[in-house]
């Protein structure tokens, strides 16, 4: 039987995933969250014609012929404007951000003036310059942030300027992580001869958090159906259950059977992907179940390819799944086999900013040190032909 393609597997794991409910959070707690609604400005910015420079507010007609000496009648400060009208032959000392007084239509920068008691002489002026007009940035009621936008520093600064103290955001998807295996122990454990450290949950938790989800560690299940079911039940409140290891067909790979005994509807458990062939996917009630391989590199690549798009659907992200990019191949590659291959690679940059990517020498799915040295994945479609150095390839960026 032919293996399921990556594209078909991705379509199945994301099918029917709708954005989660919304909640309101304070502005200072909204970094990295995803907007649930369009956001409109509560005010106009700037709310008045404002000076863009320190200088003097004058009438353009009074500086048409230079030099021009004008009578000083007051000053305008940020937060405390000048409340009288500027008339013929008059000037007002003004500072950056201050409202431009009525009657004035030009700000002359202070470097182009000479000041004497009660007067200012204008030596150079650009008529109708150095003023930020009311509403130049945005106007009240204008929609500036759309639902599905991930809130970074620029978006939060804009929301604050729009006078929003709280924002409607999607609830963080909860992802329960269950490691499996008698030989697997938590980091920091003094290991016996036949034991290994459970490293995958740390990487998956970081990935989930970086993408806007909320990871929940369920611990490490022993290689018994009872242990798997008991620990998995503690994560019933999660939107997604991710199991690590035990998703293949060996005698000790019990995850599928254990969860099916609890009602999981298995969709698939093998795909045409390298690394990551023994990927399991099913539904346990309302919860989605994604079983990733135990090999660390395989597990994290499966997380990038499948879990991240699932989280994006639940968050309603406008940007969609992590998109592919193109780069130039740094060395020749042999023809690919029947499975879609995600090759770990490192980048260098040519003059002019062109990205050159070279596959790492070791592609074993258990080698974490090499994976940490990679900064991208070269994506090779099934049965792709051999490539020469200098040809273009599709890559997925590895970033936290």
């Amino acid at each position: 039987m032919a293996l399921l393609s990556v594209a078909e597997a991705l379509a199945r794991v994301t099918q029917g995933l709708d954005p989660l409910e919304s909640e309101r959070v304070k502005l200072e707690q909204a970094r990295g969250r995803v907007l649930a609604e369009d956001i409109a400005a509560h005010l106009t910015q700037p709310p008045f014609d404002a000076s863009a420079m320190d200088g003097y507010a004058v009438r353009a007609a009074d500086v048409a012929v230079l030099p021009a000496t004008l009578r000083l009648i007051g000053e305008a400060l940020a937060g405390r404007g000048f409340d009288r009208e500027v008339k013929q032959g008059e000037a007002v000392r003004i500072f950056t951000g201050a409202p431009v007084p009525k009657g004035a239509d030009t700000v002359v920068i202070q470097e182009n003036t000479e000041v004497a008691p009660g007067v200012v002489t204008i030596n150079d002026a650009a008529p109708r310059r150095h003023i930020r007009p009311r509403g130049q940035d945005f106007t009240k009621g204008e929609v500036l942030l759309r639902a599905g936008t991930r809130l970074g520093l620029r978006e939060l600064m804009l929301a604050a300027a729009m006078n929003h103290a709280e924002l409607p955001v999607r609830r963080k998807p909860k992802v329960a992580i269950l490691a499996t295996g008698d030989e697997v122990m938590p980091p920091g454990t003094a290991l016996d001869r036949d034991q290994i450290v459970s490293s995958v949950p740390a990487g998956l938790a970081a990935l989930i958090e970086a993408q806007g989800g909320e990871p929940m560690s369920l611990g490490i299940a022993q290689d018994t159906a009872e242990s798997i079911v008991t620990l998995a039940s503690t994560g019933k409140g999660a939107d997604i259950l991710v199991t690590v290891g035990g998703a293949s067909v060996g005698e000790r790979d019990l995850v599928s059977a254990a969860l099916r005994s609890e009602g999981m509807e298995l969709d698939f458990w093998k795909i045409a992907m390298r690394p990551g062939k023994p990927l399991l996917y099913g539904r346990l009630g309302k919860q989605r179940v994604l079983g990733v391989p135990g090999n660390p590199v395989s597990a994290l690549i499966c997380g990038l390819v499948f879990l991240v798009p699932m989280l994006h659907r639940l968050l309603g992200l406008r940007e969609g799944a992590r998109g592919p990019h193109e780069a130039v191949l740094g060395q020749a590659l042999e023809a690919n086999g029947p499975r879609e291959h995600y090759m770990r690679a490192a980048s260098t940059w040519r003059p002019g900013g062109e990205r050159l990517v070279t596959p790492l020498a070791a592609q074993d799915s258990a080698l974490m040190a090499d994976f940490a040295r990679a900064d991208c994945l070269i994506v090779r479609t099934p049965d792709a032909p051999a490539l020469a150095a200098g040809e273009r390839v599709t890559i997925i960026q590895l970033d936290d």
Side-chain angles (χ1 to χ4, degrees):
M1 183 176 66
L3 294 175
L4 197 66
S5 70
V6 171
E8 176 61 24
L10 182 58
R12 292 192 190 184
V13 302
T14 56
Q15 184 179 16
L17 284 177
D18 296 319
L20 298 172
E21 64 273 17
S22 67
E23 59 187 14
R24 296 191 70 84
V25 299
K26 293 181 179 179
L27 185 70
E28 58 269 23
Q29 298 171 338
R31 182 178 181 273
R33 303 296 296 271
V34 177
L35 274 179
E37 303 170 13
D38 292 350
I39 298 299
H42 286 327
L43 47 71
T44 294
Q45 177 63 26
F48 43 74
D49 291 349
S51 177
M53 304 289 285
D54 290 349
Y56 295 86
V58 301
R59 299 165 69 249
D62 289 338
V63 293
V65 178
L66 298 174
T69 299
L70 306 175
R71 184 166 60 89
L72 279 172
I73 60 171
E75 65 178 13
L77 306 173
R80 192 173 77 246
F82 182 73
D83 58 4
R84 289 166 46 201
E85 182 177 355
V86 176
K87 297 182 178 179
Q88 182 178 359
E90 297 178 336
V92 170
R93 178 73 167 116
I94 196 167
F95 296 88
T96 303
V100 176
K102 184 179 179 180
D105 58 8
T106 299
V107 171
V108 179
I109 61 175
Q110 59 191 12
E111 293 87 343
N112 294 335
T113 65
E114 296 176 13
V115 181
V119 297
V120 58
T121 298
I122 311 299
N123 297 316
D124 191 12
R128 297 176 178 81
R129 290 288 303 278
H130 307 308
I131 294 176
R132 298 187 180 111
R134 180 180 185 274
Q136 181 185 37
D137 199 354
F138 52 82
T139 57
K140 184 177 180 179
E142 185 178 354
V143 175
L144 299 172
L145 293 170
R146 296 286 182 180
T149 298
R150 193 185 294 277
L151 296 167
L153 59 94
R154 289 169 295 143
E155 292 81 9
L156 290 173
M157 182 171 66
L158 175 57
M162 294 160 67
N163 207 23
H164 286 272
E166 292 184 340
L167 295 171
V169 297
R170 294 291 173 195
R171 173 175 66 79
K172 289 185 177 184
K174 295 180 180 179
V175 183
I177 305 169
L178 175 62
T180 66
D182 290 341
E183 79 284 12
V184 181
M185 303 299 289
T189 302
L191 302 178
D192 290 340
R193 183 182 62 183
D194 299 327
Q195 294 175 329
I196 60 173
V197 174
S198 176
S199 58
V200 174
L204 288 175
L207 176 67
I208 292 161
E209 199 165 57
Q211 294 300 319
E214 181 180 326
M216 304 165 53
S217 176
L218 304 186
I220 302 171
Q222 296 176 328
D223 282 327
T224 67
E226 181 182 7
S227 180
I228 292 168
V229 168
T230 298
L231 286 183
S233 67
T234 64
K236 281 186 176 179
D239 302 290
I240 303 171
L241 169 64
V242 177
T243 63
V244 181
S248 189
V249 293
E251 292 181 5
R252 305 288 285 175
D253 293 332
L254 304 172
V255 169
S256 177
L259 295 181
R260 278 187 287 143
S261 73
E262 295 298 302
M264 182 186 77
E265 297 177 6
L266 180 65
D267 191 314
F268 63 81
W269 61 268
K270 286 194 299 184
I271 61 173
M273 178 177 177
R274 176 185 177 200
K277 178 182 175 183
L279 182 78
L280 176 151
Y281 174 68
R283 302 191 187 198
L284 186 57
K286 294 182 178 181
Q287 188 178 72
R288 305 294 178 107
V289 180
L290 189 69
V292 301
N295 274 334
V297 176
S298 301
L300 206 55
I301 290 178
C302 285
L304 290 165
V305 175
F306 296 103
L307 181 57
V308 168
M310 294 174 75
L311 293 172
H312 286 187
R313 286 289 185 93
L314 292 172
L315 289 166
L317 265 175
R318 297 180 72 213
E319 65 197 51
R322 176 182 301 236
H325 302 277
E326 281 197 345
V328 176
L329 188 59
Q331 68 178 46
L333 286 178
E334 296 178 351
N336 190 32
R339 289 187 282 160
E340 190 158 308
H341 194 183
Y342 292 80
M343 303 183 71
R344 283 71 76 197
S347 303
T348 55
W349 300 89
R350 289 177 168 177
E354 189 173 47
R355 185 175 190 165
L356 194 70
V357 294
T358 302
L360 301 183
Q363 293 288 323
D364 190 293
S365 59
L367 302 181
M368 289 172 280
D370 275 335
F371 192 34
R373 285 190 282 270
D375 61 12
C376 66
L377 300 172
I378 297 174
V379 183
R380 304 213 68 203
T381 57
D383 302 312
L387 295 175
E391 294 195 60
R392 302 196 74 81
V393 290
T394 298
I395 66 169
I396 293 176
Q397 177 69 36
L398 293 175
D399 49 18
D400 295 332

